[in-house]
Amino acid sequence: MPSTASPEITIRAATIEDAHACGLICYDAFAAISAAHGFPCDLPSPEVGIGLLSMMFSAPGFYAVVAESDGRIVGSNVLAEQAVIYGVGPITIDPNVQNAGVGRKLMAAVMDRAERNGAAGVRLVQAAYHSRSLSLYASLGFDVREPLACLQGKTRERSVPGCVVRHAEPADEAACNALARRVHGVDRGVELAHAIREGSARVVERENRVTGYSTHLGFFGHSTAETNVDMQALLASVESFSGPGVLVPSRNSALLRWCLANGLRVVQTMTLMSTGLYNEPAGAWLPSIVF
């Protein structure tokens, strides 16, 4: 039988002009894979995908690439470079060109970039139901680090005795970054400073001392705390979580059970994966969808 040559895939740096096409693909890709497995789409509309990638393709601290076939964009990938650990995602591919090696080439492009820049490590979060992405990342050298439960809802307990939660201020940055270094070995000061400027960051205090913080309680924010009690106070301080929800490490059984007992529901399970530097966290924490 005659063989059919696969179209050549080329990778190039993304521009803001690519955001509309890539945003539509981003939505279509998430909608297709989630529907195939019976899960809600992570993005509520194509406009959200366009807005997300428009921000990432133009904001400092992000490196984005697109894949093209016959001059047509068929996928994109983003590398967050705001800390010594880099984060991957979202990586999305046109559902019409799946299984053509596009994802591997998009991943190779950002991994090469991270190596050239001397990143201490690279991390990502993948949907546990997406077995193909798990296989791809594992084959590229990523190790499974933590199973995650994506939770949504409103906690029945609206506060935690002894804990005070308030909006973070610039004066809190040093204490929050020191806490992150104690828990994770590294800080994410650039993300924290941006969240404080945007007004989404919160801190929790016990006895007038910062014992936890969150850049944003939702899919795109991360949180770090000394203890589960501090994290519970942060979770109880909001009416709902943005996007699909917050990502709770499933091995933190006490925190997960507290969340379930407080009426939060599991939307889906996910997996944190990494290459390079990884310190087992020494406290309570919630990753973002990037890491």
Side-chain angles (χ1 to χ4, degrees):
M1 296 179 63
S3 60
T4 302
S6 298
E8 182 180 0
I9 304 297
T10 59
I11 307 295
R12 63 168 174 82
T15 67
I16 187 60
E17 288 75 22
D18 300 319
H20 187 273
C22 291
L24 293 176
I25 290 173
C26 184
Y27 173 77
D28 288 343
F30 278 117
I33 191 65
S34 58
H37 292 84
F39 286 88
C41 183
D42 290 342
L43 302 176
S45 69
E47 289 72 26
V48 172
I50 294 169
L52 174 64
L53 293 191
S54 294
M55 182 277 292
M56 289 182 158
F57 284 11
S58 59
F62 294 96
Y63 173 71
V65 292
V66 299
E68 290 183 321
S69 174
D70 293 331
R72 181 175 67 90
I73 293 176
V74 295
S76 64
N77 197 5
V78 180
L79 186 68
E81 303 178 330
Q82 299 102 327
V84 297
I85 303 295
Y86 286 8
V88 176
I91 173 173
T92 52
I93 302 154
D94 187 332
N96 296 315
V97 294
Q98 291 284 346
N99 302 315
V102 180
R104 185 171 292 273
K105 289 189 175 184
L106 286 169
M107 283 299 298
V110 299
M111 296 299 289
D112 289 345
R113 165 84 172 194
E115 183 176 3
R116 290 195 304 271
N117 286 2
V122 180
R123 300 182 193 176
L124 56 82
V125 174
Q126 66 92 221
Y129 60 73
H130 196 348
S131 57
R132 282 181 295 148
S133 72
L134 176 64
S135 300
L136 171 62
Y137 302 142
S139 70
L140 291 172
F142 282 83
D143 297 322
V144 171
R145 294 300 186 181
E146 191 75 38
L148 306 169
C150 180
L151 299 173
Q152 186 55 273
K154 176 182 176 180
T155 61
R156 294 192 182 98
E157 294 182 30
R158 306 308 302 137
S159 63
V160 173
C163 295
V164 176
V165 179
R166 59 172 174 81
H167 285 289
E169 302 173 353
D172 298 315
E173 290 182 34
C176 293
N177 288 330
L179 173 62
R181 289 190 291 272
R182 292 198 302 273
V183 174
H184 294 286
V186 298
D187 67 60
R188 298 169 71 171
V190 173
E191 292 174 73
L192 173 64
H194 176 75
I196 290 175
R197 291 194 300 270
E198 293 294 308
S200 63
R202 295 173 179 239
V203 296
V204 55
E205 293 180 318
R206 280 188 289 116
E207 299 177 353
N208 297 316
R209 184 173 62 86
V210 172
T211 54
Y213 79 89
S214 177
T215 59
H216 193 67
L217 284 159
F219 220 42
F220 288 95
H222 73 271
S223 305
T224 303
E226 288 185 355
T227 69
N228 282 345
V229 170
D230 303 303
M231 188 62 71
Q232 290 163 10
L234 286 168
L235 293 169
S237 70
V238 295
E239 294 300 309
S240 63
F241 309 120
S242 65
V246 290
L247 300 175
V248 175
S250 303
R251 291 189 303 161
N252 189 341
S253 302
L255 181 60
L256 180 59
R257 279 194 287 267
W258 180 88
C259 291
L260 297 174
N262 266 274
L264 302 185
R265 66 185 187 280
V266 177
V267 177
Q268 62 173 302
T269 56
M270 309 191 85
T271 312
L272 175 67
M273 304 181 75
S274 77
T275 65
L277 177 68
Y278 186 86
N279 299 309
E280 191 69 25
W285 59 287
L286 310 177
S288 72
I289 188 57
V290 178
F291 77 90

